[in-house]
């Protein structure tokens, strides 16, 4: 327990206790309320007075709803906050039409809360209190505040930006003033682009402990989602567990947001009714997110060119290393072609180790209920590995370099390199993931480590790992990097006569979607009299690995189609190896040509290889890391294939 003889609080309030209990933090947090000071420590006083370019302030409207207003110095400079003593602050601010500080009656005695935040250094300190007096003059506001709560906060999700007053701005323009829900498309776009917002909350009590809260939330751009145009969905990321903002929401069911765009200076303000969902109800709205706050927008305001400080042109944002990947709403996910699954297990059945760092893991798909797993060739599996490798215990902060592990849910995505649906004779489907170890990653070193250990101590188990009883959860299937017009579900060929001329470009482990597509084509090629003509360019440090994978797919080709004269599939492979020479050409049918090259893909590749004339009417698919993708796009452009004609998958989040 933190000891303080001068604590601002005597206990957590009922809302804070309720949310701490719902999340199971109440015992750990008992007594920690004493960390909230009843005055501004000297360090905070200096910080507010000298470091702030802007100051988000929580205030109430005439209906008692919280809004965040933003106070800035008249010229966007620091020094507009004057701290007279530990309890007394004067703010000499510029305000602009539309901002709650400009629009609302700020009477003496009204509640107020502030968040001093310096985005260039990730420092932030909160305070709360009352308005002593307010005076409007020349488009500005002189606000005297009494502070009776103060708390220093962690830098955890603050994205670092270099901000300064811009050289020139237009006058702020109010695009929308206190309009009822829904949000406009422009307002929704602003939310979906934001990596930062400010959250105002309120707690009302008859025992004299009423107060407002002003805080910050940050993440990757798009971490806040808008549902049906009228509900803002905020994922809760693991923090200090005080749960002051969510506690206020628990008690009041109200919240107000200001969402700034630091480049344009636009600010979206909104207020509404709010509630926090935990567990399954949260996951139904935002899959794989166990705590979300929903704010049903009641009123909103959009002001263009509002902020007198902006991100300095030409400077980049340094993202918080703690921010987890963006999670999307269930409804967005369906649109992105993702299918969420529950109760589907993957039983590890065999491991094929291709090299020290590459292996194919094959699983039997076990579906407990009505969930049927459908996979289109090229799609990826979303797998929860926490049952195998465990979940991280709670830690508030981590050492440099280990920050991302704090929010790691153990969920990873890999292309399904092979999928064999269940059949009448074989009741469970088979699914393979071909995984390359990411040496600085957290999950792939463990998976490949498992494969290597087995290979050295129990190699006989590699061909049948079922006795190990390793089960993972298949939580979704995702991806639109498929052959939609050619191959249907479960690899069944469509009956139309689309182009069967394909160009596939694979960088490194980017070969995996093509393995699935090739398998579908190979297994279906006997059903059509129209031959396939596939040009595969694959580049890897050691190209023997993708070549072996391709040859194992080709080995499944029906023998009747193996001879070159009657070939229904013509496959030409250009294999580029940048570090290891091609050691042996794997056994391949005669209709497969292999052209081995040393070195990386070059932008002149197609011309150098005399392939320029062979590019026409090919559907082009590209999968590889950023460097490979860049070169491949330039190589394609050099033979007249533009970005709009290339389907791409980068294995990015
Ligand atoms: C569509 C797609 C297909 C892919 N196919 C393949 C493939 O066939 N073979 C291959 O080797 N690699 C593939 N990858 C890349 C693969 O996902 C990464 O190599 C793997 O996540 C690395 O995990 P790690 O723990 O070792 O690395 P880390 O660096 O520890 O993890 C990667 C980061 O991504 C986050 N993350 C990863 N997956 C998810 C997820 N589903 N939800 C939330 N957060 C996540 C983690 O939190 C972490 O921050 C694919 C990626 C995508 C997006």
């Amino acid at each position: 327990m933190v000891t303080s003889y001068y604590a601002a609080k005597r206990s957590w309030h009922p809302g804070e206790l309720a949310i701490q209990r719902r999340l199971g933090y109440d015992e750990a947090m008992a007594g920690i309320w004493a960390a909230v000071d009843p005055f501004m420590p000297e360090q905070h006083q200096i910080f507010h007075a000298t470091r702030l370019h802007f100051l988000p302030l929580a205030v109430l409207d005439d209906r008692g709803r919280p809004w965040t207003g933003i106070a800035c110095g008249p010229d966007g400079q620091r020094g507009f906050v004057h701290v007279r003593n530990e309890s007394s602050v004067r703010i000499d601010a510029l305000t602009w039409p539309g901002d709650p500080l400009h629009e609302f009656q700020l009477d003496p005695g009204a509640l107020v809360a502030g968040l001093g935040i310096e985005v260039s250094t990730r420092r932030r300190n909160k305070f709360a209190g009352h308005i002593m007096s307010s005076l409007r003059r020349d488009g500005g506001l002189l606000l005297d505040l009494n502070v009776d709560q103060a708390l220093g906060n962690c830098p955890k999700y603050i994205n670092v930006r270099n901000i300064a007053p811009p050289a020139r701005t237009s006058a702020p323009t109010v695009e929308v003033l206190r309009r009822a829900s829904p949000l406009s498309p422009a307002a929704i776009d602003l939310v979906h682009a934001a990596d930062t917002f400010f959250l105002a909350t309120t707690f009302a009590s008859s025992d004299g402990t009423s107060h407002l809260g002003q805080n910050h939330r940050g993440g990757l751009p798009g971490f806040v989602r808008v549902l049906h145009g009228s509900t803002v969905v905020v994922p809760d990321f693991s923090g200090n567990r005080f749960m002051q903002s969510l506690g206020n929401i628990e008690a009041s069911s109200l919240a107000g947001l200001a969402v700034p765009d630091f480049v344009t200076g636009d600010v979206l303000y909104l207020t509404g009714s709010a509630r926090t969902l935990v567990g399954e109800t949260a996951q139904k709205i935002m899959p794989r997110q166990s705590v979300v706050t929903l704010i049903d927008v009641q009123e909103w305001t959009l002001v263009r060119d509002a902020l007198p400080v902006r991100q300095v042109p030409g400077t980049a944002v340094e993202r918080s290393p703690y921010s987890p990947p963006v999670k999307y709403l269930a409804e967005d996910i369906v649109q992105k072609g993702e299918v969420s699954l529950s109760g589907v297990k993957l039983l590890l059945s065999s491991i094929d180790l291709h090299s020290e760092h590459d292996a194919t893991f094959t699983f039997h798909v076990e579906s407990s209920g009505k969930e049927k797993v459908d996979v289109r060739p090229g799609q990826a599996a979303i797998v929860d590995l926490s049952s195998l490798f465990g979940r991280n215990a709670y830690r508030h902060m981590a050492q440099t370099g280990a920050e991302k592990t704090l929010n790691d849910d153990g969920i990873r995505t890999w292309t399904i390199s092979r999928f064999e649906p269940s059949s009448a004779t074989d009741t469970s489907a088979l699914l393979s993931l071909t995984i390359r170890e990411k040496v600085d990653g957290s999950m792939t070193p463990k998976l490949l480590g498992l494969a290597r250990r087995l290979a050295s101590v129990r190699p006989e188990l590699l061909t049948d790992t079922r006795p190990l009883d390793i089960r993972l959860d298949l939580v979704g299937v995702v991806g639109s990097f498929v052959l939609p017009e050619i191959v249907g579900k479960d690899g069944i060929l469509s009956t139309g006569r689309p182009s069967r001329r394909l160009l596939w470009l694979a960088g490194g482990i980017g070969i995996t979607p093509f393995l699935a597509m090739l398998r579908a084509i190979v297994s279906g090629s006997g059903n059509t009299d129209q031959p396939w003509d596939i040009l595969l360019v694959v580049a890897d440090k050691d190209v023997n690995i993708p070549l072996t994978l391709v040859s194992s797919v080709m080995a499944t080709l029906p023998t009747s189609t193996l001879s070159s004269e009657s070939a229904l599939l013509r496959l030409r492979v250009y294999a580029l190896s940048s570090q290891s020479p091609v050691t042996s050409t794997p056994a391949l049918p005669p209709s497969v040509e292999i052209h081995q090259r040393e070195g990386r893909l070059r932008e002149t590749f197609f011309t150098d290889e005399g392939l320029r004339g062979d590019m026409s009417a090919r559907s082009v698919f590209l999968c590889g890391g950023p460097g490979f993708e860049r070169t491949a796009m330039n190589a394609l452009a050099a033979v007249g294939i533009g970005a709009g004609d290339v389907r791409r998958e980068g294995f990015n989040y």
Side-chain angles (χ1 to χ4, degrees), residues 288 324-325 327 380 382-383 404 407-409 411-416 433-438 440-445 478 509 512-513 649-653:
R288 297 189 286 287
K327 300 209 173 73
I382 306 172
V383 182
K404 69 177 184 174
N407 277 312
D408 194 337
D409 53 9
I411 291 176
R412 297 292 186 272
T413 306
W414 289 286
T415 307
I416 299 166
L433 308 174
T434 301
I435 297 178
R436 174 160 294 180
E437 180 172 1
K438 192 176 164 205
D440 62 347
S442 42
M443 295 297 162
T444 52
V478 66
I509 198 63
T512 54
E649 170 61 70
F651 289 177
N652 301 318
Y653 300 95

Side-chain angles (χ1 to χ4, degrees), residues 369-643:
K370 48 192 180 334
E371 295 275 22
K372 176 159 165 20
V373 180
D374 274 332
V375 177
R376 291 168 66 169
Q379 283 193 306
I382 306 172
V383 182
D384 185 347
L385 297 147
S386 52
S387 58
L388 179 59
F389 299 127
R391 285 194 193 281
N392 290 317
Y394 169 73
R395 271 178 304 147
H396 178 34
M397 303 295 285
Q399 287 181 334
T400 305
E403 295 96 336
K404 69 177 184 174
T405 60
L406 292 200
N407 277 312
D408 194 337
D409 53 9
I411 291 176
R412 297 292 186 272
T413 306
W414 289 286
T415 307
I416 299 166
S417 52
R418 169 187 171 201
F419 183 71
E420 287 181 15
S422 55
S423 63
T425 47
D426 190 354
T427 46
S428 70
L430 273 187
L431 179 154
S432 297
L433 308 174
T434 301
I435 297 178
R436 174 160 294 180
E437 180 172 1
K438 192 176 164 205
V439 180
D440 62 347
S442 42
M443 295 297 162
T444 52
K446 290 178 186 161
L447 281 172
L448 269 294
L450 171 75
R452 287 189 293 261
R453 254 195 324 282
L454 275 183
S456 78
V457 297
R458 298 284 305 276
E460 73 285 2
L461 278 177
L462 288 174
T463 49
D464 186 359
T465 49
R466 282 174 294 180
L468 298 173
D469 206 22
I470 292 175
R471 281 184 173 76
L472 308 176
D473 291 282
L474 177 65
V475 297
V477 172
V478 66
S480 50
F481 190 74
V482 291
L483 298 175
E485 77 278 26
I486 299 171
V487 180
K489 285 190 173 173
D490 302 341
I492 307 297
L493 294 177
S494 74
T495 50
R497 295 175 67 83
S499 162
R500 277 160 166 64
R501 284 169 56 76
L502 304 172
L503 169 60
W504 291 344
L505 294 133
I509 198 63
I511 189 70
T512 54
F514 302 120
L515 298 176
M517 294 177 191
L518 185 61
R519 187 175 289 275
I521 288 170
V522 163
S523 61
S525 60
N527 302 338
T528 175
D529 55 2
Q530 196 184 357
W532 293 85
D533 177 351
I534 302 174
L535 187 58
L536 167 64
V537 180
V538 53
D540 206 347
K541 284 181 189 156
D542 177 1
V543 85
N544 294 294
I545 296 163
L547 275 184
T548 308
L549 294 167
V550 169
S551 86
S552 66
V553 176
M554 292 304 289
T556 62
L557 194 69
T559 43
S560 60
T561 58
L562 285 184
S563 75
S564 53
E565 310 84 65
S566 61
L568 292 172
L569 167 61
R570 180 175 185 220
L571 175 64
R572 268 174 300 159
V573 183
Y574 284 80
L576 285 72
S577 209
S578 58
Q579 285 182 11
S580 315
V582 180
T583 46
S584 62
T585 308
L588 287 164
S591 60
V592 179
E593 275 174 41
I594 301 240
H595 303 266
Q596 300 167 17
R597 303 286 182 262
E598 283 185 10
R600 294 166 178 272
L601 182 69
R602 294 175 316 277
E603 296 183 359
T604 52
F605 172 81
F606 294 107
T607 318
D608 294 351
E609 296 293 346
L611 293 168
R612 176 182 270 273
D614 194 11
M615 293 290 105
S616 67
R618 286 193 183 273
S619 298
V620 185
F621 291 76
L622 163 58
C623 183
F628 177 82
E629 181 176 308
R630 226 177 0 261
T631 311
M633 291 304 289
N634 289 339
L636 290 167
V639 290
I641 299 174

Side-chain angles (χ1 to χ4, degrees), residues 193-215:
D195 64 10
T196 299
F197 73 90
F198 304 109
L199 172 65
T201 55
T202 175
F203 172 70
S205 154
S206 54
D207 66 2
T209 60
S210 299
H211 61 266
L212 301 187
Q214 178 63 65
N215 215 333

Side-chain angles (χ1 to χ4, degrees), residues 23-350:
L23 298 174
Y25 308 157
D26 49 326
E27 281 185 23
M29 297 313 291
I32 304 292
W33 46 264
V36 182
D37 286 313
F39 53 78
M40 242 184 217
E42 190 181 356
Q43 189 199 23
H44 294 199
Q45 296 174 33
I46 297 168
F47 173 74
H48 292 302
T50 61
R51 307 305 311 164
L52 304 184
H53 276 293
F54 64 92
L55 173 64
L57 285 174
V59 289
L60 296 176
D61 66 12
D62 49 5
R63 291 169 55 188
R65 298 175 303 186
W67 293 73
T68 294
I70 300 180
C72 291
D75 48 6
Q77 298 288 353
R78 294 170 162 132
F80 65 100
V81 179
H82 308 279
V83 182
R84 296 171 151 185
N85 57 49
E86 60 185 22
S87 314
S88 176
V89 172
R90 167 167 283 191
I91 297 164
D92 191 355
L94 169 81
T95 61
W96 48 85
D99 188 282
L101 300 178
H102 190 91
E103 302 292 333
F104 296 178
Q105 188 92 16
L106 302 173
D107 292 328
L111 295 171
V112 70
L115 173 75
I117 179 165
E118 188 181 33
V119 290
S120 57
T121 59
R122 292 206 169 103
R123 290 180 68 194
R124 66 172 160 154
N125 294 301
K126 300 194 293 186
F127 64 85
H130 297 82
I131 294 173
M132 303 301 288
S133 68
S134 65
L135 179 69
R136 296 195 186 278
R137 51 177 197 193
D138 303 334
L141 174 70
L142 196 63
L143 208 53
D144 281 311
L145 310 180
N146 174 57
V147 172
D148 53 23
Q149 289 193 20
L151 183 70
N153 275 101
C154 68
K156 208 165 177 185
Y157 299 106
I158 299 176
N159 295 305
V160 174
R161 311 189 130 76
N162 192 354
I163 61 167
R168 196 171 59 85
T169 52
S170 323
T173 46
V174 181
E175 189 167 297
V176 171
L177 184 63
R178 298 191 67 171
R179 186 187 290 170
S181 192
L183 297 171
S184 66
I188 294 171
D189 287 348
L190 202 155
V191 174
H192 284 169
D195 64 10
T196 299
F197 73 90
F198 304 109
L199 172 65
T201 55
T202 175
F203 172 70
S205 154
S206 54
D207 66 2
T209 60
S210 299
H211 61 266
L212 301 187
Q214 178 63 65
N215 215 333
H216 151 275
R217 290 286 188 270
L220 291 175
F223 76 111
V224 181
R225 310 303 306 171
V226 179
L227 178 65
H228 303 145
S230 56
T231 300
V232 176
V233 181
V234 181
D236 186 61
F237 300 154
S238 164
N240 62 9
R241 297 192 161 186
F242 281 33
M243 310 315 286
Q244 289 189 287
S245 301
L246 294 200
N248 288 351
I249 289 173
E250 201 76 1
S252 69
S253 301
L254 294 170
L257 272 59
V259 188
D261 179 328
F262 287 104
V263 174
T264 61
D266 300 346
V267 182
L268 170 70
Y269 306 87
L270 61 91
T271 196
S273 58
R275 63 198 187 282
T276 299
L277 306 180
V278 177
E280 263 183 40
T281 49
Q283 309 243 15
K284 276 201 178 119
I285 303 281
M286 187 176 263
R288 297 189 286 287
Q289 176 65 38
S290 54
V291 185
V292 294
T293 299
L294 270 49
I295 298 118
D296 294 323
V297 178
Q298 292 173 343
E299 273 182 27
W300 61 282
T301 292
L302 179 59
V303 185
R304 302 287 186 191
D305 271 317
L307 292 176
V309 283
R310 306 286 163 91
Q311 187 171 323
V312 175
T315 60
V317 180
E318 185 193 319
R319 305 275 172 223
S320 162
Y322 288 96
S323 294
V326 171
K327 300 209 173 73
Y328 294 91
L329 300 178
E331 62 172 28
D332 299 339
I333 284 171
V334 171
Q335 278 170 15
K336 283 171 62 193
E338 179 173 331
V339 176
S340 295
L341 299 166
S342 66
V344 180
K345 299 273 178 198
L346 298 178
L347 172 65
L348 184 62
S349 312
S350 64

Side-chain angles (χ1 to χ4, degrees), residues 1-9 11-12 31-38:
M1 171 172 155
V2 176
T3 50
S4 167
Y5 299 110
Y6 302 104
K9 293 163 83 84
S11 65
W12 293 118
I32 304 292
W33 46 264
V36 182
D37 286 313

